[in-house]
Amino acid sequence: AVNASIPSSIYCWGDSMTFGTGSTAGNDYPSILSKTVNWKTVNKGIPGETSTEIKDRFIAFYTANPAELKKPVIIWAGRNNYPSGTTIKSDIATMIAMLPHSNFLVVGITNSKTREKIDNSGYNKIVELNNDLKTIYGTNFIDIRSFLVSQYNPSIPQDVIDFGLDLPPTSLLSDNIHLNDLGYRKVASFIANHFSLLENKGITYAEAIVTRNQYITGVPSSILKTGSDGLVTNSVLYEN
């Protein structure tokens, strides 16, 4: 068994929240995170994508570039199809199951100011999904929604109203859902506080497979196989 080498970059997968819609140039969260932790980041965010579209890109990319699998990953997926919680959990599980390490973070879904106010059906689905992801991924899950809500400015009346409605504060938003430069800086800072989970832990390949099997639920059986050693692996990437 071989220890993975120390990775040189972090892959950030997601939709418009990762892309940085609403920010000025260079103020998307991956760019700010790179400056904060002094690691390269690769912004793999595409606006408008669902968790399934992100998953499909993820599989295609690592199938073509298997050497990149050793590098840590941040997944922020599901905002554009959050009512489909089961699908989102399955898509994220599929992505995590491809990694031969546990150096990853799963970021929770935020709620919109206009559509997902406290106690309506959209809000309840987002809170339920985030709770489920926290249960599945434990310390590898980041509850960015609750963190952003807590970052309201008490001197701004609208922020105080937003806080009472359990919404991300207006002072951090560029529109009803996307963040502004300050909002993305808050995200990058919060993720940086969890950076130790992205750093190489010196685990062996076999240990990584055992760890990854914890997250195997929901992965399509067509891409899984069990080796002679009894370890479940992803046949798309681990045929050799």
Side-chain angles (χ1 to χ4, degrees):
V2 232
N3 289 340
S5 59
I6 296 175
S8 58
S9 57
I10 303 166
Y11 279 91
C12 305
W13 292 89
D15 48 37
S16 57
M17 302 297 284
T18 296
F19 178 80
T21 298
S23 68
T24 57
N27 283 296
D28 54 281
Y29 97 76
S31 294
I32 301 168
L33 179 64
S34 177
K35 297 170 188 172
T36 304
V37 300
N38 199 30
W39 279 35
K40 294 178 184 178
T41 55
V42 182
N43 190 327
K44 303 292 282 185
I46 294 184
E49 284 199 337
T50 65
S51 62
T52 302
E53 291 170 314
I54 295 167
K55 175 207 68 178
D56 290 344
R57 279 196 297 121
F58 189 100
I59 291 174
F61 175 79
Y62 289 115
T63 300
N65 303 278
E68 298 303 292
L69 275 169
K70 66 184 178 183
K71 298 176 181 178
V73 164
I74 300 171
I75 298 171
W76 195 357
R79 171 62 229 180
N80 293 309
N81 60 319
Y82 75 83
S84 305
T86 300
T87 297
I88 293 168
K89 287 181 284 187
S90 174
D91 290 336
I92 293 174
T94 300
M95 289 186 270
I96 297 302
M98 297 182 73
L99 301 174
H101 56 71
S102 58
N103 304 327
F104 68 87
L105 291 172
V106 173
V107 181
I109 310 301
T110 59
N111 48 322
S112 160
K113 285 192 64 174
T114 54
R115 296 193 299 273
E116 297 104 31
K117 295 181 179 179
I118 192 166
D119 287 337
N120 73 14
S121 61
Y123 170 90
N124 291 335
K125 285 178 180 177
I126 287 173
V127 170
E128 179 182 8
L129 174 60
N130 285 339
N131 286 340
D132 287 348
L133 292 173
K134 182 177 182 180
T135 298
I136 295 168
Y137 298 111
T139 56
N140 290 77
F141 172 77
I142 289 185
D143 187 359
I144 203 67
R145 193 197 72 80
S146 295
F147 169 72
L148 289 172
V149 169
S150 76
Q151 297 300 294
Y152 76 103
N153 187 334
S155 68
I156 301 177
Q158 184 58 53
D159 272 21
V160 175
I161 293 171
D162 295 337
F163 180 73
L165 296 173
D166 205 24
L167 292 167
T170 298
S171 64
L172 300 183
L173 299 176
S174 62
D175 56 29
N176 288 323
I177 181 63
H178 298 100
L179 302 171
N180 56 25
D181 289 356
L182 178 57
Y184 287 117
R185 284 202 295 274
K186 295 277 189 181
V187 170
S189 174
F190 195 54
I191 290 175
N193 288 338
H194 295 77
F195 184 67
S196 63
L197 294 169
L198 295 173
E199 293 182 286
N200 180 267
K201 300 179 178 65
I203 57 177
T204 65
Y205 176 80
E207 288 168 339
I209 296 297
V210 170
T211 300
R212 198 175 70 234
N213 285 349
Q214 298 174 45
Y215 311 112
I216 215 76
T217 305
V219 179
S221 57
S222 59
I223 65 170
L224 297 178
K225 71 173 185 178
T226 302
S228 57
D229 53 5
L231 297 177
V232 179
T233 58
N234 188 314
S235 61
V236 171
L237 294 168
Y238 296 104
E239 285 292 347
N240 298 323

